[in-house]
């Protein structure tokens, strides 16, 4: 094909407008990546990634209509593009948050884990698309041999109007602020309305299926729910699969919930709530909300069990 397609500016423009692409319906300290219960990356996603790898060139014009109308015309291909759309807009936010939290950039493998990509090469391709678009600020530096990120310029990401406001909200801290309200449909039970939980202590746990640090976190949360549920405490597990455009089916989620013996309600995270909570970029993210609806503590990435227990105990007291 004679025309080369660079996606990032399109994805950012759509994200800023609050729309969807045409046809659309944590860290290095975590456990190793594996797809949930044997689910493999789709052939469609692999085709999209391969196409991008072969066609990336600096400074080429963006021809979105041809991507959807003549290149990726199958529903599963457009679904894969929708997933990548979500990843594109969140990657700069993730890089900034990760750099701030750990003092060093994430590996390609970690980026793949956070965005449910099937390998590090896919993460490399997405970064190359960003680097190829002259309109995107050069906020990262990479090793020319390995492709690994050596430096993330958080200041540059903060100063970019497309990302700055969201990054500032994510990094500035939530403690002492009133928790944004939510009313989320139950994945396998009744809806959960934060207003109806007034007087209870709520740990809002935002996760996605197959996320390695989320898998590591789950047993700790089950134990926490078991210990404190009789004292006016509950965890709300908000699953972000649909917001992120991931294709895990209900059967995979149900099997995971059953195998992990999850004893707290699971709801579907939605775009409106995601926006209200600053657009989550690192998973899991947790908000501890006291009985008056005020955020008492906020964790980005895996939270150690002793840390969780301490803060929950303090708020209960």
């Amino acid at each position: 094909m004679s025309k080369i397609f660079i996606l990032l500016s399109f994805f950012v423009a759509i994200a800023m407008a609050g729309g969807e692409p045409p046809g659309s319906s944590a860290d290095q300290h975590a456990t190793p990546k594996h797809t949930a219960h044997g689910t493999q990356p789709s052939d469609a996603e692999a085709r999209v990634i391969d196409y991008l790898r072969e066609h990336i060139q600096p400074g080429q014009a963006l021809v979105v209509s041809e991507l959807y109308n003549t290149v990726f015309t199958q529903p599963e291909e457009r679904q894969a593009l929708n997933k990548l759309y979500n990843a594109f807009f969140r990657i700069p936010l993730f890089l900034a948050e990760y750099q701030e939290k750990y003092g060093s950039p994430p590996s390609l493998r970690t980026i793949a884990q956070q965005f449910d990509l099937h390998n590090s090469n896919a993460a490399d391709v997405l970064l190359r698309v960003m680097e190829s678009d002259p309109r995107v600020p050069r906020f990262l530096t990479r090793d020319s041999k390995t492709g690994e990120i050596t430096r993330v310029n958080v200041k540059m990401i903060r100063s970019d109007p497309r990302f700055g406001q969201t990054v500032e909200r994510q990094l500035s801290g939530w403690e002492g602020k009133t928790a944004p309200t939510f009313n989320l449909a139950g994945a396998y039970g009744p809806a959960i309305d934060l207003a109806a939980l007034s007087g209870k202590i709520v740990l809002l746990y935002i996760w996605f299926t197959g996320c390695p640090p989320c898998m590591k976190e789950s047993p700790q949360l089950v134990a926490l729910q078991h210990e404190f549920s009789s004292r006016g405490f509950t965890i709300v597990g908000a699953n972000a699969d649909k917001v992120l455009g991931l294709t895990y089916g209900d059967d995979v989620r149900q099997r995971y919930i059953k195998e992990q013996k999850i004893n707290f309600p699971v709801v579907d995270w939605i775009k409106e709530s995601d926006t209200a909570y600053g657009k989550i970029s690192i998973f899991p993210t947790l908000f501890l909300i006291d009985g008056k609806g005020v955020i008492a503590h906020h964790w980005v990435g895996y939270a150690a069990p002793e840390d969780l227990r301490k803060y929950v105990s303090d708020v209960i007291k």
Side-chain angles (χ1 to χ4, degrees):
M1 177 167 290
S2 60
K3 294 183 178 179
I4 310 301
F5 306 104
I6 304 299
L7 298 178
L8 179 61
S9 296
F10 164 64
F11 289 144
V12 170
I14 288 177
M16 295 300 288
E20 296 290 345
S24 71
S25 46
D27 70 61
Q28 286 162 237
H29 312 286
T31 52
K33 168 69 176 172
H34 59 281
T35 52
H37 304 289
T39 301
Q40 297 299 317
S42 69
D43 291 339
E45 183 178 327
R47 289 197 297 273
V48 173
I49 291 293
D50 287 345
Y51 181 89
L52 295 176
R53 180 187 295 110
E54 293 170 4
H55 290 80
I56 292 171
Q57 291 185 14
Q60 294 293 324
L62 172 69
V63 188
V64 176
S65 59
E66 291 193 24
L67 266 179
Y68 283 91
N69 295 331
T70 66
V71 182
F72 302 121
T73 59
Q74 299 303 309
E76 62 271 19
E77 292 174 335
R78 291 178 173 180
Q79 188 173 38
L81 278 175
N82 185 35
K83 172 183 172 180
L84 295 176
Y85 145 73
N86 284 288
F88 266 99
F89 190 66
R90 291 169 186 265
I91 282 176
L93 310 180
F94 170 67
L95 295 180
E97 287 187 355
Y98 194 99
Q99 179 72 43
E100 290 280 304
K101 181 177 175 66
Y102 296 109
S104 61
S107 67
L108 293 175
R109 174 175 171 270
T110 297
I111 295 171
Q113 290 177 353
Q114 278 293 324
F115 295 97
D116 200 48
L117 304 171
H118 57 283
N119 57 37
S120 299
N121 290 333
D124 174 70
V125 169
L126 297 192
L127 293 181
R128 286 173 55 198
V129 172
M130 290 184 183
E131 294 166 324
S132 298
D133 192 327
R135 291 161 291 187
V136 177
R138 298 296 180 260
F139 58 80
L140 60 86
T141 304
R142 295 211 282 163
D143 186 294
S144 59
K145 294 182 179 179
T146 66
E148 294 290 349
I149 300 173
T150 57
R151 179 175 178 270
V152 175
N153 190 329
V154 177
K155 183 178 179 180
M156 186 176 290
I157 297 175
R158 283 177 182 266
S159 65
D160 190 291
R162 290 167 293 189
F163 308 118
Q165 185 177 4
T166 300
V167 171
E168 186 63 33
R169 190 168 184 188
Q170 283 288 308
L171 299 180
S172 62
W174 287 83
E175 288 84 355
K177 298 179 181 179
T178 299
T181 188
F182 59 76
N183 190 331
L184 302 171
Y188 314 105
I192 300 292
D193 188 338
L194 182 61
L197 296 175
S198 178
K200 274 185 171 275
I201 295 159
V202 177
L203 182 63
L204 176 62
Y205 164 58
I206 305 165
W207 62 290
F208 70 82
T209 307
C211 155
C214 303
M215 294 177 178
K216 183 179 178 183
E217 195 83 72
S218 288
Q220 321 299 339
L221 298 179
V222 168
L224 205 66
Q225 177 78 3
H226 179 74
E227 181 177 359
F228 292 112
S229 61
S230 63
R231 301 173 63 184
F233 169 80
T234 188
I235 297 170
V236 175
N239 181 271
D241 287 359
K242 295 177 182 178
V243 167
L244 297 175
L246 307 184
T247 57
Y248 295 109
D250 287 341
D251 57 336
V252 175
R253 280 186 288 270
Q254 284 182 317
R255 187 161 63 246
Y256 175 75
I257 289 169
K258 182 177 180 180
E259 290 178 357
Q260 295 295 315
K261 300 180 180 178
I262 289 176
N263 54 356
F264 48 84
V266 175
V267 294
D268 289 323
W269 195 233
I270 59 175
K271 184 166 63 174
E272 291 77 11
S273 292
D274 192 57
T275 299
Y277 278 84
K279 296 193 175 183
I280 306 304
S281 301
I282 296 182
F283 294 86
T285 286
L286 303 95
F287 297 87
L288 180 61
I289 305 168
D290 69 17
K292 296 181 180 180
V294 175
I295 296 172
H297 203 71
H298 171 221
W299 292 269
V300 175
Y302 174 78
E306 60 273 14
D307 198 32
L308 282 170
R309 190 181 187 283
K310 174 187 181 301
Y311 279 97
V312 171
S313 298
D314 288 347
V315 173
I316 288 176
K317 292 175 182 176

